Amino acid sequence: MIIGIDATHTVTGGAQRHLIDLLETYKTNNKNYLDIQKIYVWSPKNTLDLLPETPKIIKISSFFFNNGL
């Protein structure tokens, strides 16, 4: 399974914290989520920098996300 997360408007607050916690849980308990092959996250760079590093989490940013377009 491949999951895509649109976090283009997730830049502060509770939504950002929930996204970080969700991906941290996935990273630490990866063996419990064997069906998930990749997670793609679209977001501004400052949010992506807060997310955990793992080869299965693909972080994607764009000029448009970073400049509020």
Side-chain angles (χ1 to χ4, degrees):
M1 174 182 349
I2 297 173
I3 296 175
I5 299 173
D6 176 2
T8 53
H9 289 65
T10 306
V11 293
T12 60
Q16 185 181 59
R17 182 78 250 156
H18 286 296
L19 177 62
I20 293 167
D21 290 344
L22 174 76
L23 295 176
E24 282 288 343
T25 301
Y26 170 74
K27 180 182 175 185
T28 57
N29 297 317
N30 195 10
K31 61 183 172 284
N32 296 330
Y33 301 100
L34 296 177
D35 293 346
I36 300 173
Q37 299 163 351
K38 299 275 184 197
I39 298 176
Y40 290 89
V41 182
W42 290 269
S43 186
K45 183 167 178 5
N46 60 348
T47 300
L48 293 178
D49 291 341
L50 300 172
L51 302 180
E53 295 290 333
T54 179
K56 291 191 173 190
I57 298 175
I58 312 301
K59 303 174 185 181
I60 304 166
S61 189
S62 169
F63 166 81
F64 297 107
F65 304 157
N66 296 320
N67 293 304
L69 300 175

